[in-house]
Amino acid sequence: MDILPDLSAAAQQADAALESFVRQYPRLFVLTGAGVSTESGIPDYRDEDGAWKRPQPVTFQSFMGDEAVRRRYWARSLVGWRTMSGARPGPAHAALAALEAAGRVGLLVTQNVDGLHAAAGSRRTIDLHGRLDTVVCMACGARHPRIRLQQELLRRNPAWAALEAGAAPDGDADLEGHDFSAFDVPGCPHCGGGPLKPDVVFFGESVPRDRVQAVRDGLAASDAVLVAGSSLMVYSGLRFVHAAVERGLPVACVNLGCTRGDELFALKVEAACGPALSALVHALDRPRGKNYPGVPGEAG
């Protein structure tokens, strides 16, 4: 008879190790990725081996250099925006907001563009790759709310409103086999026609230097790093883990599957972010016998 390992005991051991890490290093620099938002209905990019689950997202160069690519992007975004705009913070977002409220998070840096950390109540945050709820004109630099663009897209393209498609992680949808050539994309209402782009960092585009510096300043003021829900396959996030190690800061990670930083971690917890981070909040809270807002559970 095969004897299976006691998975519940292993999970408890991992929870205890994460609790010990956070107690030892009370001011955390937190770096999050798509894995913290999957419980909110937003799909992630990669599987547990770090491979792409779908074709790589559009690059900045393609978006800016080809009007047909922009039409295709905004058509897919019109459909996908329903999922993105309707998403609500999940257990991982609530737990990280609770950790900040308890004074344990000095800075939270997210690679996500969904705005769910702010919606959950996290305040000391940097959206490393920007936010999808804003669009920017690439001619004049004016910024506009994404919801207004959605209304204009629907007005110009009413037949697309009824389409159903699977949501994609970057706020668009997996529309295949459609003719995008007649899709009508408005230009910037401020300057009268400049191309509009989501106010996010596309693949092939650089994170603004002032944003990178603000992240580095936050890292310098921290005791340790906690990576949550990121495979670190994108260098814009991985570089801060390397910077932490160079500074002698320990790094813990909560993530399902392999990451590019596995050999750099002092602790790796193979678990979904929601349950693991919620358990962490409860464990840290038990000695005081109270609960943090937004994290359900019994007082200890």
Side-chain angles (χ1 to χ4, degrees), residues 4 7 37 43 57 61 75 260 274 294:
L4 298 176
L7 297 180
S37 291
Q61 291 76 15
R260 282 181 71 188

Side-chain angles (χ1 to χ4, degrees), residues 53-135:
K53 291 182 177 181
R54 50 178 52 80
Q56 183 172 324
V58 63
T59 65
F60 175 74
Q61 291 76 15
S62 295
F63 184 89
M64 293 304 302
D66 190 336
E67 185 178 353
V69 171
R70 291 198 294 275
R71 283 197 298 268
R72 179 177 181 271
Y73 176 87
W74 284 118
R76 289 162 55 103
S77 180
L78 179 151
V79 177
W81 181 247
R82 292 194 295 264
T83 296
M84 186 64 67
S85 63
R88 296 295 178 263
H93 304 104
L96 289 168
L99 289 174
E100 181 188 291
R104 294 184 178 276
V105 175
L107 181 67
L108 186 153
V109 177
T110 184
Q111 299 170 90
N112 300 337
V113 293
D114 51 40
L116 292 179
H117 284 298
S122 291
R123 295 293 173 260
R124 293 189 290 274
T125 65
I126 292 177
D127 298 293
L128 187 64
H129 296 150
R131 292 268 295 261
L132 275 175
D133 57 8
T134 304
V135 295

Side-chain angles (χ1 to χ4, degrees), residues 117-249:
H117 284 298
S122 291
R123 295 293 173 260
R124 293 189 290 274
T125 65
I126 292 177
D127 298 293
L128 187 64
H129 296 150
R131 292 268 295 261
L132 275 175
D133 57 8
T134 304
V135 295
V136 59
C137 175
M138 300 306 290
C140 72
R143 284 173 165 77
H144 312 279
R146 175 64 177 80
I147 185 62
R148 292 183 186 173
L149 176 61
Q150 181 73 2
Q151 293 165 352
E152 182 63 14
L153 288 170
L154 289 169
R155 188 187 71 80
R156 292 172 179 239
N157 307 276
W160 292 76
L163 292 180
E164 297 288 341
D170 48 359
D172 60 358
D174 292 325
L175 284 177
E176 302 300 337
H178 290 273
D179 180 7
F180 302 101
S181 61
F183 190 83
D184 188 4
V185 181
C188 174
H190 181 75
C191 69
L196 295 173
K197 171 184 169 291
D199 196 12
V200 301
V201 178
F202 276 23
F203 280 81
E205 190 176 7
S206 298
V207 178
R209 290 185 179 181
D210 59 344
R211 199 177 300 168
V212 172
Q213 187 57 53
V215 175
R216 292 191 181 279
D217 292 344
L219 184 62
S222 302
D223 301 318
V225 173
L226 174 62
V227 177
S230 177
S231 65
L232 298 175
M233 293 297 172
V234 179
Y235 179 71
S236 64
L238 178 64
R239 60 179 156 179
F240 299 119
V241 174
H242 282 292
V245 173
E246 290 170 4
R247 287 179 171 272
L249 301 181

